[in-house]
Amino acid sequence: MSNFLFGRYLPGSSWVHQMSPQSKLMLSFYFVVVIFFANNIWTYAALSGLILLVVLMSGVSIGYFLKGIRPLIWLIVFTVLLQILFSSGGHVYWHFGPFSISDTSLINGGFMFIRCLLIIMISTVLTLTTTPLAIADGVQTVLRPLKKVHFPVDTLALMLSIALRFVPTLMDEMETILNAQRSRGVDFGSGSLRHRISAAVPLLVPLFTGAINHAENLSTAMEARGFTDSEHRSKYRVYRWQRKDTISWAVFLLIGILVLFIRKS
Amino acid sequence: MKDIIQIKNISFNYPDQERLFTNFSMNIHEGEWTAIIGQNGSGKSTLARLIDGLIVLKSGQIVVDGLTVNDENIFDIRNKIGMVFQNPEDQFVGATVEDDVAFGLENRQIPREKMQQIVENSLKQVGMWDFRDRIPANLSGGQKQRVAIAGIIALSPKIIILDEATSMLDPRGRQEILKLVDKIKHDNDLTVISITHDIDEAAGADQVIVVNKGKVVEADQPDKIFGDINKLTSIGLSAPFTSELLSALRKRGVDSPSQYLNDQRLITWIKQLISSK
């Protein structure tokens, strides 16, 4: 239970693992934007090739990616079906009321499928090769420009890292409370929806009380250790931009430009 | 001997609660291990928080190493004091062991290169360097308290306050932490204040202060305090096992010493008793 959320990260020392989190975050975002420019077989082929390269460079076996896709499969199927049934044009094979299937809609459905797959793949690479803590730090670096408009970037990053740190603690506590209530005969698994919701109340109340207690004690400890505010602090953990980041960006930018050239205008 | 902490005539109560301290005074000697014992609700932990300026004093004065505890001095005072709290979980701020030790250094804006050196050094002193990548969920209570101590060493304070720091540990973890603090105290010439329920922990101190109902009942060496079982039980504290044993023997007519003996000395005394018969 206590490995929840940290379990997705796979330790390693591959090219992708060694890249700085801020550049991985930005690259993933950039890649998703580029995906929406793709509109024909060649552009999708180029992007699929790129993602395969990334997967290879991450040193993570393809099985993990399939696991990442499984929970989202129904969402993908639903999106693809909508695309097939509602897009118009081309040679119509079948229609019923507002629904129709044509050759264009089948192709669009196929593209939609690849698009979903690509987005899931890139985000899975990010979470498999980057610790949640590093992602929090990456977010902080990426958001840094917002400091100019007095957005509390440092406070947000500290909050995020403390929240991540307490996830396993609260999970353990929930387990304890769950067992305590079970041993008193509370049944969480069955009964009507109303019954199950009312069974959750004696679970949530002690969990919240516990969380507030933790927060109070933690803030005392933080003060005792000289914490004043999150602005005036130095940083122990620094992720520097590396050559690997520059090279990866160069490759991604080139593919991006290529997509703009070969897309159907 | 110099008094590193002077508490002069303080009065304090939490909002809407009974007065905890009325004209309370107490001194802590520099370089000594002082144990503060007392029942639940006797104000021991409040005292620690008042010394560190974590709660605001209403009247009276506390002086820490020549500085009066007030808003102006508060950060200088917190630089001099390192506190280890009761719950190991609730003082672990960093996401990993390393990050947690660095937390206090980050607050003081120590440059990164220096920070890495200090973190390594501090973690090695408490024997947790090999665990530097671990997340708190994968550490035992005793290991977390070690990390908390490393976080304190990193800031090189003059005073360590253990606020029931061992009460949530098993007997072995407790012994290890106390041994560790003792070693660090000697290596760095520190003053230690341990607020505790554990009579055996208090028995190892240089000075014991018994607090009850916001008053100092007694302040003396542990030998003298723990010899008198009746006094301890009258304020709701249990006596150390060795004193209980000696008192039981006395009741059965064995001529036993009335002063406190630790385990080692008790064993020697029993051996002498047997060989003399």
Side-chain angles (χ1 to χ4, degrees):
Chain A
M1 205 45 133
S2 43
N3 277 328
F4 173 80
L5 225 150
F6 297 87
R8 264 181 86 72
Y9 170 71
L10 288 174
S13 54
S14 71
W15 177 289
V16 185
H17 277 91
Q18 286 174 31
M19 283 171 65
S20 69
Q22 62 266 33
S23 100
K24 279 192 263 188
L25 261 173
M26 290 301 286
L27 260 187
S28 311
F29 183 69
Y30 162 81
F31 186 75
V32 172
V33 172
V34 171
I35 289 172
F36 285 96
F37 280 99
N39 59 2
N40 61 15
I41 188 89
W42 302 112
T43 43
Y44 278 113
L47 293 176
S48 305
L50 181 61
I51 206 79
L52 271 177
L53 181 74
V54 172
V55 169
L56 277 177
M57 297 296 263
S58 74
V60 177
S61 77
I62 202 85
Y64 277 99
F65 291 95
L66 297 179
K67 257 189 223 159
I69 294 164
R70 201 183 299 152
L72 295 167
I73 197 77
W74 290 113
L75 188 68
I76 299 174
V77 168
F78 182 66
T79 324
V80 171
L81 273 180
L82 279 186
Q83 191 73 28
I84 292 176
L85 291 174
F86 286 104
S87 57
S88 55
H91 179 76
V92 180
Y93 298 120
W94 173 86
H95 71 101
F96 176 79
F99 309 112
S100 68
I101 296 176
S102 66
D103 52 355
T104 339
S105 72
L106 279 179
I107 293 172
N108 281 342
F111 284 163
M112 180 54 82
F113 178 73
I114 300 175
R115 193 179 279 183
C116 292
L117 216 61
L118 288 175
I119 295 175
I120 294 170
M121 293 281 252
I122 192 81
S123 51
T124 310
V125 170
L126 178 72
T127 50
L128 285 179
T129 62
T130 324
T131 60
L133 180 65
I135 293 180
D137 274 317
V139 169
Q140 185 181 15
T141 315
V142 171
L143 294 183
R144 178 136 298 151
L146 288 181
K147 266 178 134 176
K148 288 228 170 67
V149 290
H150 300 290
F151 186 77
V153 177
D154 298 309
T155 311
L156 197 77
L158 188 69
M159 273 166 57
L160 202 59
S161 102
I162 290 177
L164 284 172
R165 176 248 168 284
F166 270 96
V167 167
T169 308
L170 293 179
M171 293 293 278
D172 280 347
E173 257 155 48
M174 194 172 85
E175 192 72 24
T176 312
I177 299 166
L178 214 64
N179 286 338
Q181 303 287 14
R182 271 202 199 109
S183 71
R184 286 169 178 77
V186 181
D187 186 4
F188 292 102
S190 59
S192 65
L193 188 68
R194 224 187 110 199
H195 172 81
R196 274 198 246 178
I197 290 174
S198 63
V201 173
L203 191 74
L204 290 178
V205 172
L207 194 67
F208 270 81
T209 326
I212 291 167
N213 271 332
H214 281 305
E216 199 178 347
N217 290 337
L218 189 75
S219 60
T220 309
M222 282 169 73
E223 264 189 62
R225 294 171 71 182
F227 180 79
T228 45
D229 61 82
S230 34
E231 303 290 317
H232 302 95
R233 306 181 71 224
S234 51
K235 217 156 160 30
Y236 178 70
R237 214 167 255 282
V238 174
Y239 298 92
R240 289 224 171 77
W241 188 272
Q242 297 165 44
R243 264 197 71 196
K244 289 192 169 73
D245 294 307
T246 317
I247 296 169
S248 309
W249 269 99
V251 172
F252 270 66
L253 283 175
L254 278 175
I255 300 280
I257 293 167
L258 185 73
V259 164
L260 285 184
F261 272 105
I262 61 177
R263 77 190 287 261
K264 194 169 67 187
S265 52
Chain B
M1 184 147 315
K2 196 185 143 200
D3 289 331
I4 194 161
I5 296 175
Q6 293 149 303
I7 298 173
K8 295 173 197 161
N9 291 320
I10 60 162
S11 298
F12 179 81
N13 65 300
Y14 287 105
D16 305 323
Q17 278 180 30
E18 250 181 88
R19 193 54 83 75
L20 204 51
F21 296 114
T22 313
N23 287 327
F24 179 90
S25 297
M26 183 181 100
N27 291 328
I28 305 283
H29 304 314
E30 185 165 12
E32 277 191 358
W33 183 308
T34 305
I36 300 178
I37 59 171
Q39 271 185 294
N40 278 340
S42 62
K44 302 170 302 204
S45 283
T46 306
L47 204 57
R49 284 169 165 74
L50 284 168
I51 293 171
D52 205 29
L54 292 168
I55 37 185
V56 182
L57 195 58
K58 302 241 162 70
S59 75
Q61 193 190 27
I62 297 177
V63 180
V64 176
D65 198 28
L67 291 174
T68 305
V69 178
N70 57 26
D71 283 350
E72 214 172 291
N73 290 333
I74 194 75
F75 296 109
D76 293 318
I77 285 168
R78 285 185 192 156
N79 279 341
K80 290 175 191 287
I81 301 177
M83 275 183 83
V84 185
F85 294 93
Q86 180 176 24
N87 191 337
E89 199 62 46
D90 288 351
Q91 49 190 315
F92 209 111
V93 189
T96 69
V97 168
E98 280 184 274
D99 288 290
D100 188 61
V101 177
F103 180 77
L105 299 165
E106 289 179 323
N107 290 337
R108 286 160 180 89
Q109 301 187 51
I110 311 282
R112 186 162 172 264
E113 290 70 33
K114 224 172 145 192
M115 206 150 39
Q116 285 171 320
Q117 229 172 51
I118 300 174
V119 169
E120 180 175 347
N121 194 7
S122 319
L123 278 174
K124 278 183 175 160
Q125 279 195 57
V126 300
M128 288 294 290
W129 177 240
D130 293 338
F131 296 83
R132 60 188 175 279
D133 295 330
R134 296 277 191 100
I135 61 167
N138 295 341
L139 296 174
S140 72
Q143 286 172 324
K144 277 179 218 162
Q145 292 301 58
R146 276 169 186 270
V147 175
I149 292 168
I152 285 169
I153 305 172
L155 302 172
S156 44
K158 296 183 86 170
I159 303 162
I160 292 183
I161 300 179
L162 306 175
D163 185 4
E164 299 192 34
T166 60
S167 64
M168 288 174 80
L169 306 181
D170 56 31
R172 190 154 158 216
R174 186 175 301 168
Q175 279 308 315
E176 279 173 7
I177 292 294
L178 292 177
K179 227 187 242 169
L180 179 68
V181 175
D182 195 49
K183 184 180 157 278
I184 289 159
K185 171 186 178 291
H186 280 287
D187 291 350
N188 306 294
D189 281 326
L190 301 179
T191 306
V192 175
I193 302 172
S194 77
I195 288 158
T196 183
H197 275 298
D198 182 27
I199 297 297
D200 293 308
E201 179 179 333
D206 298 309
Q207 167 99 349
V208 177
I209 296 175
V210 185
V211 179
N212 191 38
K213 291 180 182 153
K215 285 202 168 59
V216 173
V217 179
E218 242 186 321
D220 214 329
Q221 286 162 354
D223 285 15
K224 290 176 185 136
I225 286 184
F226 294 125
D228 193 351
I229 301 186
N230 296 332
K231 198 164 194 173
L232 284 171
T233 43
S234 74
I235 53 167
L237 288 170
S238 63
F241 170 73
T242 54
S243 302
E244 299 255 19
L245 183 74
L246 288 177
S247 148
L249 286 172
R250 212 172 299 133
K251 274 185 198 148
R252 284 169 178 73
V254 181
D255 184 25
S256 61
S258 62
Q259 106 215 74
Y260 168 74
L261 301 179
N262 63 19
D263 291 0
Q264 212 52 48
R265 277 154 63 197
L266 181 79
I267 292 168
T268 328
W269 177 77
I270 292 174
K271 275 182 185 160
Q272 278 172 359
L273 191 73
I274 293 169
S275 59
S276 67
K277 278 202 173 156

